[in-house]
Amino acid sequence: MSGEPTDEDLEELRKKKMEQLKDQQGGEGQAEAAEAQRQQAEAQKKAVLRKALTDGARKRLNTVQMSKPEFGEQVEQQIVALAQSGRLQGKIDEEKMKELLSEMKPDSQSFDIKRR
C-alpha cells in the first residue's frame, strides 16, 4: 500500500507493452511487404516494356508520360496486357506506337472558326 507496484503488476505491464510492440511491428511488416510487392510489379512491367518496345517507341512513350502521366500509364498497361496475352507480334516500333496512341487518345473537340 505504499504505492510501489508489485511484481505481478510489473509483469502484467510488461506483457501489455510486448503485445503493443508486436502489433506495431506486424503493421510495419505488412506495409513493407506491400511496398516490396509494388516495386516487384513495377520492375516486371518495365521488363515487359523493355522487351516489347524499340528505342524510338520507348522515347515516344516517355514523352507522352511526361506531358500526360495518366494517359501514359494507360498506354503502358495496354502494352503490358497485349504482351502478356501473346497478341503482340514482334516489337512495337515508333510507327506502331503512333497508331496505338492515336487509337487510345480521348476524342478531343476541335473548334474550327471560319471567318466570312
Side-chain angles (χ1 to χ4, degrees), residues 4-5 9 13 32 46 52 58 71 73 75-77 110:
E4 292 183 24
D9 293 339
L13 286 172
E32 290 174 3
K46 291 206 182 289
R58 194 175 304 120
F71 181 62
E73 185 66 30
V75 173
E76 274 186 353
Q77 290 175 355
S110 64

Side-chain angles (χ1 to χ4, degrees), residues 45-106:
K45 180 174 78 169
K46 291 206 182 289
V48 169
L49 289 172
R50 207 174 305 117
K51 288 180 183 178
L53 300 175
T54 62
D55 288 339
R58 194 175 304 120
K59 286 178 185 177
R60 186 167 293 276
L61 180 59
N62 287 338
T63 304
V64 168
Q65 284 181 322
M66 289 173 63
S67 62
K68 297 179 182 178
E70 299 86 15
F71 181 62
E73 185 66 30
Q74 287 178 347
V75 173
E76 274 186 353
Q77 290 175 355
Q78 182 70 27
I79 293 169
V80 169
L82 287 171
Q84 289 178 343
S85 67
R87 293 185 290 167
L88 199 63
Q89 290 118 14
K91 285 190 168 192
I92 295 177
D93 61 356
E94 195 167 356
E95 291 302 316
K96 287 182 184 177
M97 179 60 80
K98 286 180 185 177
E99 291 174 17
L100 183 64
L101 290 171
S102 66
E103 288 174 11
M104 290 186 67
K105 79 176 175 186

Side-chain angles (χ1 to χ4, degrees), residues 1-15:
M1 293 271 176
S2 63
E4 292 183 24
T6 63
D7 288 340
E8 292 173 357
D9 293 339
L10 289 175
E11 188 61 33
E12 188 175 324
L13 286 172
R14 282 187 193 119
K15 285 181 183 179

